[in-house]
Amino acid sequence: MLPVHDGTGPQRRASIQWSAAMIVECPHCGANYPVDEKEFAGASKLKGQCKQCHSSFVINAPAELPQLPAEPTVALAVIEGPARGQVFRLSKARTILGRSGADVVLRDPEVSRKHCAIEVHGSTATLSDLGTTNGTFVSAKRIQSCELEHLSKFRIGATTLLFTVTDNKPGESEPPPTLVVRSRRS
């Protein structure tokens, strides 16, 4: 995808499908191209030119691109399930959770390969199920999409995770302490 417009002919809007990768479809010939969200660099739209039919069109950025907060640390702590006690610091604004081929890999046979996505927007996040058979649950209710706040819990497969946002003190070079979950003793 070329972020270029030659100035000839009318500009047309491309249809956009937001998923693990942003895909832009040419409004004229239907050719699909991946576009990295970084290409927007704060702009609300890009000018594109199809490599196949050479038509020009405008690609609008979504209303709000996911973004990690500058100071706080955003993490997921596994509080129940096979990976109990593990903590995953989120390093990307959009993170895929799943059994394999995901940003956060959970060794849970009830979790789909790409089970759900978390899009961080400052100190909150949007949790979205990726069309799984076993579902994604918040407060024992199956969800398609749900807003998460600090200390929100959700379950995928047999794994329950806790969404955390912790402040880093200015000048602190060490990461904040991580949550340690120990097994219960009878």
Side-chain angles (χ1 to χ4, degrees), residues 3 5 7 14 44 55 62 64 72 78 115 118 122 124-125 128 136 152 155 172:
H5 181 328
S44 62
S55 64
E64 185 179 328
V78 180
H115 198 102
I118 294 181
T124 63
S128 301
T136 300
S152 293
R155 181 177 61 81
E172 188 178 70

Side-chain angles (χ1 to χ4, degrees), residues 46-150:
L46 289 175
K47 294 177 182 175
Q49 184 174 27
C50 179
K51 293 178 184 175
Q52 192 168 340
C53 73
H54 305 289
S55 64
S56 297
F57 52 88
V58 174
I59 306 164
N60 287 322
E64 185 179 328
L65 287 173
Q67 62 183 24
L68 286 173
E71 289 298 318
T73 299
V74 180
L76 296 173
V78 180
I79 57 175
E80 289 181 25
R84 184 179 184 157
Q86 280 191 292
V87 177
F88 301 95
R89 293 179 90 172
L90 302 187
S91 59
K92 295 174 23 180
R94 188 169 201 282
T95 303
I96 305 293
L97 284 73
R99 192 177 67 242
S100 66
D103 301 311
V104 173
V105 176
L106 299 167
R107 305 282 180 226
D108 180 342
E110 295 178 35
V111 170
S112 296
R113 285 186 190 98
K114 292 189 177 171
H115 198 102
C116 63
I118 294 181
E119 289 187 355
V120 178
H121 301 280
S123 62
T124 63
T126 302
L127 171 66
S128 301
D129 184 82
L130 297 177
T132 62
T133 302
N134 291 341
T136 300
F137 295 83
V138 174
S139 300
K141 294 180 184 164
R142 188 174 182 147
I143 58 102
Q144 292 301 312
S145 182
C146 181
E147 182 89 6
L148 298 177
E149 296 176 342
H150 177 58

